[in-house]
Amino acid sequence: MNKTSTELDIIKYIYNELNQEEKAQINYQTIVSPKTLELMCGLRNVKDSLDNIMLLPKDSIINNIKNFSKSFNLTKHGFVK
Amino acid sequence: MLKTELSDSCLVSLYVKGNEEALSVLIDRHKSRIFTTIYLIVKDKYIAEDLLQDVFIKTIKTIKCGKYNEQGKFLPWIVRVAHNQAIDHFRKAKRNPRITLQDGSDIFNCLKFSENFTESNNLTKNSVQYIKKIIHELPEKQREVLVMRHYMQMSFQEIAKSTKVSINTALGRMRYALIRLRKKIKTNKIAYE
């Protein structure tokens, strides 16, 4: 397994896109290769960091949307005659 | 009060029948993911909020007019609508807006953090802001794949199809993006230490 294909597989691994056999192969690699283990941990940390930047819009924006839905009327808005 | 454990599909069905609270639950459940996806593409909080409204208005009209396809899943569908809106805006604007406030402060400081960001998280608020900044600095193609995979939860196969590249190219872009972020996070950590 070359370096690039291992890195691509690790990315698929952390995003849960490998089958059981491929996962086992990567697990084995992390045991025999400290560099693979380090890369796996590093990329997992990045993934965790990305999870922490979920943003929220202003409440007024959400209220506008909810109010639009309540006032939206198919007949009134010309969708039904 | 609607139970929040109801699936998206159930909530959409209730909303079709006129239950406005069902839409409320759907919005509250997914607003953060959709807003983050848009924001990371357009890089402007105010434009992202406008586009978020457009996305939900389109969604409301689609569902109320009976045009929503029940076979698909709600989140992938709406996130794709959001992505298309953001890309359309990006193409129309043909620019890469960077907003600085009148007092010279960074627009990132105005963003409200979600409940995900709590004291129990390992990251400090400064770290979160730094990560947002370095995501914005990624080359466009890499940022696109990162947003599609991480925030839109599309598979690499779907990303490859959507961006008309091979799966290895999509994976390669993600690899460069994550490794670049990792290096910058590492360097930043060392700098702080």
Side-chain angles (χ1 to χ4, degrees):
Chain A
M1 206 180 257
N2 67 39
K3 188 184 168 211
T4 305
S5 75
T6 305
E7 287 177 357
L8 297 186
D9 281 342
I10 289 174
I11 289 165
K12 281 164 103 178
Y13 184 102
I14 62 172
Y15 280 98
N16 210 17
E17 288 198 23
L18 289 182
N19 61 38
Q20 288 306 316
E21 198 180 319
E22 291 165 330
K23 271 186 189 174
Q25 178 70 26
I26 290 293
N27 285 336
Y28 175 74
Q29 284 292 320
T30 58
I31 294 166
V32 298
S33 162
K35 277 194 172 179
T36 304
L37 180 63
E38 191 199 344
L39 182 67
M40 169 82 92
C41 294
L43 294 182
R44 267 193 192 284
N45 283 342
V46 174
K47 186 173 180 267
D48 291 344
S49 303
L50 293 173
D51 284 334
N52 283 290
I53 55 158
M54 297 295 276
L55 312 171
L56 279 175
K58 283 201 296 271
D59 292 341
S60 60
I61 300 290
I62 297 304
N63 290 336
N64 287 347
I65 295 166
K66 291 176 182 175
N67 289 336
F68 172 83
S69 176
K70 283 173 194 159
S71 66
F72 184 76
N73 179 299
L74 294 178
T75 309
K76 190 176 140 191
H77 290 85
F79 286 90
V80 175
K81 285 181 184 173
Chain B
M1 193 79 172
L2 272 179
K3 286 192 175 179
T4 50
E5 307 92 73
L6 287 175
S7 70
D8 287 356
S9 180
C10 284
L11 291 168
V12 172
S13 299
L14 287 170
Y15 181 55
V16 168
K17 288 173 190 160
N19 188 327
E20 290 292 331
E21 207 188 330
L23 179 79
S24 233
V25 176
L26 277 171
I27 292 173
D28 292 337
R29 186 178 286 174
H30 299 304
K31 63 187 177 188
S32 176
R33 184 168 295 281
I34 298 165
F35 182 63
T36 306
T37 297
I38 297 171
Y39 172 75
L40 289 175
I41 296 169
V42 300
K43 302 196 249 184
D44 182 307
K45 187 200 173 193
Y46 301 104
I47 293 172
E49 285 180 338
D50 282 349
L51 291 176
L52 181 80
Q53 286 195 88
D54 292 346
V55 168
F56 274 110
I57 285 170
K58 193 173 181 181
T59 301
I60 289 162
K61 286 180 178 173
T62 303
I63 296 176
K64 286 202 170 180
C65 293
K67 291 178 184 167
Y68 176 72
N69 177 7
E70 254 307 309
Q71 288 171 340
K73 284 186 179 174
F74 180 74
L75 181 62
W77 175 77
I78 194 170
V79 164
R80 209 167 286 230
V81 172
H83 182 257
N84 290 341
Q85 290 277 103
I87 294 292
D88 279 352
H89 168 84
F90 198 70
R91 284 181 184 145
K92 278 178 198 162
K94 284 185 180 173
R95 64 192 166 93
N96 216 358
R98 281 198 178 276
I99 308 291
T100 306
L101 300 178
Q102 282 182 341
D103 63 1
S105 63
D106 195 317
I107 192 72
F108 290 135
N109 297 335
C110 295
L111 289 168
K112 187 176 167 184
F113 293 97
S114 74
E115 293 83 348
N116 283 8
F117 185 74
T118 61
E119 286 179 2
S120 63
N121 285 108
N122 292 328
L123 293 171
T124 63
K125 193 174 174 179
N126 279 344
S127 303
V128 172
Q129 287 175 347
Y130 178 71
I131 291 162
K132 281 190 290 187
K133 182 175 172 286
I134 57 176
I135 290 176
H136 283 172
E137 287 169 0
L138 286 174
E140 194 185 329
K141 300 280 182 196
Q142 290 175 27
R143 196 174 70 243
E144 183 183 42
V145 175
L146 182 93
V147 170
M148 286 174 140
R149 184 63 194 88
H150 196 88
Y151 298 99
M152 295 173 69
Q153 296 183 328
M154 290 167 74
S155 69
F156 287 112
Q157 188 69 57
E158 289 169 328
I159 294 168
K161 198 177 166 190
S162 169
T163 55
K164 297 184 177 69
V165 296
S166 69
I167 188 164
N168 272 353
T169 301
L171 269 165
R173 286 173 181 169
M174 188 69 169
R175 167 177 167 256
Y176 278 117
L178 292 180
I179 287 176
R180 196 182 284 240
L181 293 179
R182 183 185 171 220
K183 274 185 190 160
K184 293 209 171 189
I185 289 169
K186 223 172 171 179
T187 313
N188 187 50
K189 202 177 163 191
I190 289 165
Y192 275 113
E193 281 168 2

